[in-house]
Structure formats: C-alpha cells, structure tokens
Amino acid sequence: MEHALSPTTLSELRRPRPYPAVSVLTPTHRREPENTQDPVRLRNVVAEAKKQLEADPAVPRERRIDVARQLDQALTEVDLTHAEDGLVIFAAPGEHQVWSLARSVPERVVLSDTFLTRNLVSAQASERPFWVLSVAPDRATLWNGGTDRVVEDHLAGFPLTRDHRENFDAERQERIGDMPSTFRDESTRHFLRDADTAMAKILRDQPRPLYVTGEQAALSVLDEVGSVTKEAVHVPHGGLAHGTPDAVWQAVRPLHEAENRKNTAAVARELETARGRRAFAAGVDEVWQNAREGRVRLLAVEENYRITVRDAGGDHLVPAASDDLDAREDIVDEIVEQCLETGADVRFVPDGTLGDARGIAGVLRY
C-alpha cells in the first residue's frame, strides 16, 4: 500500500485516463473493536464499484472486465492489519493503486476520467510530513516522516554508502572513541557534503522540515560543509543511519511534537491578527467562498473537523445529511486541495484550537 504522495506522483494520478477511472474510498480503523467491520465494508464498497461498472452503458465489456480485474488485484494488496484511518483504491484499464491514509475519508465510489485525489492531498497535508537524514561515516539514510511514524525512502540515490578504504572500520572506530578524528578525515567530509547535496535536491522538489541525526562530531562537520543540513534541526543521536524506523521515530518525536506546538501557537497568533485587520474568514461556507476565489493565504483546519454540506443555490453551503442526494461529505478536503492549488499555507491544528471559528478558518490575501 502507498503512503507518501510526492508532487510527481500527484501529477501522475491527476493525468486523464480512458474512461472509467474508478476511485473507491472507505474509512478504516486502527484498533479493535472498530476494525472488525473493515473487511466487510471494504468488500461491499468494491462490489458497489463493480455494480456501477456493470450498469454504465459507456463502459465497453472488455474495459469493464479489465477494470474489475484491477479492483480484485487491488483487494489482494490491502493489508488491514496495518490499517490507518482511510483507504483509497484507484483502478483504471491496465492499472491500480492502493493508498493508506492517516485521515478518514467518506465511503464513496466515483467513476470519471481522472482519479479523485483531494482526499490524498488533504491527508498528506494533515500528516505534516518531514524528512529525517541520518548520517554515519559510511552511510547516510533518508527517512520519510508523518504523523506517527517514519519509513525509509530511496529518493536521490539514498541510502548513500561510502566505499570502504583499506582498514576503514566505522564500527570499530566508534567503539574505541575515535569518531571525532574519523569525521575530520577529508574523505568523510566529502561524503557528508555529497549527502547534503543529495538532500538539497530532494528539498527543492519536496520542501519539508528536515531533521538530521548523527554523532555530535558529524553534526559539527555538517555545520561547516553543509548547506541545507546546516540549517536543519540537529538531533545528536548516533547509530540511526543503520537503525530501524521505530528507533528514528523515537529520536525525533519529542522535537517534532515541540515544533508542532510552536507552529500551532504561531497560527493562532496570525489568525488573531487577521481578525483585527478584517482579513479573516471562519466557518466552512465563508472559507469555501474565499478559497474558490484564491483569496486564502493561510488555512487552519482542526485535525478531526468534518462536516457534510450541500450547495444552496450556488452561493452558499448549508449543513446536510450524508444520504442527501447532493451531499458533499469531503468538503473540508476539497477546500484544503483548492487552497494548496492557489499557493496557500495549510496547517492542521489540534481540535479546539480555533474556538468560535467552528473548525476551519483562514487568513485572507486581500
């Protein structure tokens, strides 16, 4: 199952497909007893997708069989033992993908000529993704971080490994306390400079906060020879370039949570300032109207805020029941994607942070 949504991947997902491009969404659960319903619910929503394919006269028989086969193959790849909060299956002629999301999604089936991506985009933004670069004298490992985990990533040639010199033994040098002299070695400094250069390329394509872990001697060298790594949050913890994802997560978690608290306080201050100069929007209807016009500069959304609405005459959104014919269950995700498309900064904040703004608020450009 897929987790990390890069700009390149998103662009590929948004590419038009031969009709039908099928998007199947269903909420999932991490723990018992809620997760016991997930297998049945997933089979039912996939069955509904096949039913819609069968009933659609615009889908030729051969294409219907192909897409139904893709849905079946996707089902075999779903691992509900490691479920998060939402699941998305994309299926089109000749292809399928399964995405696990750390944000709930409404249950729905959509047949179109493109995949439905707004729930992926919103889930990615809510995870507040970050990078971790772990360095050692002979290895540099890249980790992709999210809400409650990190996983190893292989962008830009990572992990980088250093050709062993004669008698080069990083583990032995670490045991005998010779790491400072190892990092003063010119070839080691060159290796760390290469890691910095590779990291810079990733940050140009996918800018995120960056944490760098390593022995204090390695971090000191990066202060001297690095560019992007010099400006990163340094975590003086050795051994993680050869470590496990859980060990890396435990090392960076306290700093990451502290940074999130600082960012939440900054968002609250900015919203309060916007109120004073009348550049403030609150509530789903008001924010939606401004988002459509590209006026939102900063969007703040409480982490578990969800609301179902319907369009009242094209000008306003009003609350609706999920079974209403024209109900829009993922309007929050739609607003998040729209704001990101127009260059807004999107921040998810803890529930209750926004007070009387009712779950969603924005700072306007004008």
Side-chain angles (χ1 to χ4, degrees):
M1 297 194 294
E2 304 286 345
H3 295 273
L5 184 66
S6 70
T8 300
T9 302
L10 179 59
S11 177
E12 169 60 22
L13 287 174
R14 287 173 167 169
R15 175 177 57 82
R17 262 77 178 173
Y19 186 84
V22 181
S23 302
V24 178
L25 290 73
T26 186
T28 52
H29 304 84
R30 298 173 186 247
R31 298 176 183 84
E32 295 181 341
E34 293 85 358
N35 63 4
T36 57
Q37 64 182 291
D38 290 348
V40 173
R41 193 167 187 173
L42 176 59
R43 286 195 299 270
N44 288 344
V45 73
V46 170
E48 173 61 25
K50 291 181 178 179
K51 181 180 177 182
Q52 291 190 27
L53 282 171
E54 187 75 32
D56 192 334
V59 183
R61 179 178 181 275
E62 296 80 5
R63 194 170 292 177
R64 182 177 70 246
I65 293 172
D66 183 358
V67 175
R69 186 183 301 117
Q70 297 295 334
L71 288 169
D72 288 337
Q73 291 176 1
L75 267 181
T76 67
E77 297 172 14
V78 173
D79 181 9
L80 289 176
T81 60
H82 296 96
E84 297 178 275
D85 303 304
L87 188 74
V88 178
I89 294 175
F90 295 134
E95 62 174 320
H96 67 272
Q97 292 188 34
V98 179
W99 288 82
S100 178
L101 308 181
R103 181 167 168 81
S104 186
V105 298
E107 184 171 290
R108 65 189 306 187
V109 174
V110 178
L111 275 61
S112 183
D113 57 358
T114 58
F115 293 136
L116 184 69
T117 60
R118 60 174 169 258
N119 306 96
L120 271 68
V121 171
S122 183
Q124 177 84 348
S126 71
E127 279 205 312
R128 297 181 291 272
F130 58 92
W131 297 114
V132 181
L133 177 64
S134 297
V135 296
D138 60 338
R139 184 180 175 90
T141 306
L142 177 68
W143 309 91
N144 188 338
T147 302
D148 57 3
R149 66 172 186 273
V150 300
V151 295
E152 187 173 354
D153 210 309
H154 299 94
L155 292 172
F158 282 104
L160 305 181
T161 55
R162 181 182 177 192
D163 292 337
H164 283 12
R165 299 170 294 145
E166 185 177 357
N167 298 326
F168 176 75
D169 186 343
E171 291 185 3
R172 176 179 179 276
Q173 288 170 326
E174 188 168 4
R175 285 198 304 274
I176 66 176
D178 196 33
M179 292 301 285
S181 63
T182 299
F183 284 107
R184 285 196 297 268
D185 178 85
E186 188 56 38
S187 60
T188 304
R189 293 166 68 89
H190 188 273
F191 174 70
L192 293 179
R193 190 180 295 114
D194 287 345
D196 178 88
T197 300
M199 194 70 237
K201 180 179 185 301
I202 292 170
L203 289 172
R204 282 195 299 271
D205 295 335
Q206 300 185 53
R208 301 180 186 176
L210 172 63
Y211 300 86
V212 181
T213 77
E215 296 289 335
Q216 185 58 58
L219 301 180
S220 296
V221 172
L222 286 171
D223 272 341
E224 299 173 23
V225 305
S227 57
V228 295
T229 51
K230 178 180 179 179
E231 304 300 326
V233 177
H234 286 187
V235 184
H237 190 306
L240 298 179
H242 299 271
T244 64
D246 184 62
V248 176
W249 170 240
Q250 294 306 324
V252 302
R253 180 179 181 177
L255 285 85
H256 183 58
E257 291 179 345
E259 191 68 19
N260 285 340
R261 289 192 294 271
K262 185 171 73 174
N263 288 338
T264 297
V267 168
R269 287 194 300 271
E270 193 159 356
L271 289 170
E272 192 59 35
T273 299
R275 281 180 187 265
R277 54 188 175 85
R278 298 187 178 181
F280 178 78
V284 66
D285 180 47
E286 190 174 334
V287 172
W288 173 69
Q289 293 182 55
N290 284 283
R292 287 192 304 167
E293 298 169 3
R295 296 182 62 199
V296 178
R297 179 176 64 78
L298 168 67
L299 177 71
V301 184
E302 293 186 352
E303 289 167 348
N304 294 301
Y305 178 61
R306 290 283 182 186
I307 186 170
T308 300
V309 298
R310 58 181 175 82
D311 195 338
D315 295 324
H316 294 282
L317 300 177
V318 296
S322 59
D323 57 355
D324 285 359
L325 187 62
D326 54 353
R328 298 163 72 169
E329 293 184 75
D330 53 358
I331 187 62
V332 175
D333 290 357
E334 190 175 329
I335 291 170
V336 168
E337 184 179 49
Q338 177 64 37
C339 287
L340 288 169
E341 285 291 301
T342 55
D345 184 11
V346 175
R347 305 287 187 91
F348 282 80
V349 297
D351 294 348
T353 299
L354 301 181
D356 61 2
R358 303 181 302 282
I360 189 168
V363 177
L364 305 183
R365 292 189 170 100
Y366 56 90

